[in-house]
Amino acid sequence: MPVLLLTRSGPVHDAVVPLCAAAGVEVEVGGDPALCLATWIRADLVLVGVDLADEVVALAPPRRPDVHVVGLSPADIVFRAAVTIGAASVVDLPDAAPWLVEALADVGERASPGRTVGVVGGAGGAGATTLACALAQWHSLSAPTLLVDADPLGAGLDRLLGMEERPGVRWEGLVDTAGRLGARALREAVPRRDHLGVLTWSGLQRRLDVPTARRILPSAARGHDLVVLDLARQDPCLAELVERCDDLLVVTPATVPALAATARLVATLGRDADAGLVVRPGALGDADAERVTGLPVVASVADQRGLAASVDRGLGPLTGRGPLARAARSLLEAA
């Protein structure tokens, strides 16, 4: 059941149900909260009318995400009830109707959020950005994919993919927004080529605004089958961004200096579950890389001929059936 609306109020019903119909989502309307506890758990979104907020409080239903109290000019006392039942917000209709439409539009986008994969270089110049682009390019051949630039000092992922002239919102435009951003709205707003979207910066003065990232990344995962984060190894926010990833790929050349640097990075992150090494050519073997870093080797990527020329032509790093394509396919199919 996508949406559960608990209300006996005619005005609340008449304000919410047409919005659900416009968003194309199914809604179950219940006037007795005690009879709707099973749906309370199953629904993708729960809307509690202000007229039944106190009755829901008395039932003490289990805490769950995506609960909102809705009403026409709700009184201040309703906010206390909203806090008690764990509601994320109190929606004042009709003023907040555009916000509710965005929330309803996200219902049914996907049964569960898409996968988020972080890619970080264990040492400088390891090729993490190249791998991040390759992963996104490969997956976008078949499903909606978002490549997120979390390295303010990088060249810009849109430039590496030949998408710098594409219209769309960049990080700077999202900093000035407030509140919830719908998954569909974000997917349609970023620069895009077919199934591949990219979120990066437009100017030279760049800084990753962490509060903005906290708002945007959940919407990105709801609206895409795969989100790839290109992470900066020396960013003070790295540990928090890594915690938001389902999987982490640490890219490193198989050399003594690079593996030593990678081991220090891994130690600062304090994460070994769902993390793996992607090894680039060097004098040491996979066993040495695993012993030094404590992470398993999940892929080895040889040097790819013509890589620089491909990027300079705006084609991105993934061309043909080279080492990057094989690694991207293997890494994404293994999950």
Side-chain angles (χ1 to χ4, degrees), residues 113-118 221 227 241-248 271 273-275:
R115 178 183 174 198
T116 299
V117 176
V227 177
L241 293 176
V242 165
E243 286 301 313
R244 295 178 178 272
C245 297
D246 299 306
D247 303 281
L248 177 67
R271 170 175 174 159
D274 300 317

Side-chain angles (χ1 to χ4, degrees), residues 157-180:
L157 298 183
D158 55 347
R159 188 174 302 278
L160 270 66
L161 296 169
M163 297 172 63
E164 64 269 28
E165 300 299 327
R166 297 255 169 171
V169 69
R170 268 71 174 176
W171 275 120
E172 294 93 337
L174 294 174
V175 171
D176 296 330
T177 63
R180 183 183 186 279

Side-chain angles (χ1 to χ4, degrees), residues 196-275:
L196 178 59
V198 61
L199 177 57
T200 184
W201 288 269
S202 58
L204 295 177
Q205 298 296 322
R206 300 172 171 182
R207 181 181 64 86
L208 183 64
D209 185 72
V210 178
T212 301
R214 290 170 183 156
R215 289 191 298 108
I216 296 306
L217 291 180
S219 294
R222 290 196 306 271
H224 295 84
D225 191 69
L226 176 70
V227 177
V228 181
L229 299 185
D230 179 33
L231 301 166
R233 67 185 305 270
Q234 294 184 336
D235 194 309
C237 309
L238 176 60
E240 177 176 341
L241 293 176
V242 165
E243 286 301 313
R244 295 178 178 272
C245 297
D246 299 306
D247 303 281
L248 177 67
L249 300 175
V250 183
V251 186
T252 178
T255 65
V256 171
L259 289 177
T262 300
R264 285 194 290 271
L265 175 72
V266 171
T268 62
L269 295 178
R271 170 175 174 159
D272 51 15
D274 300 317

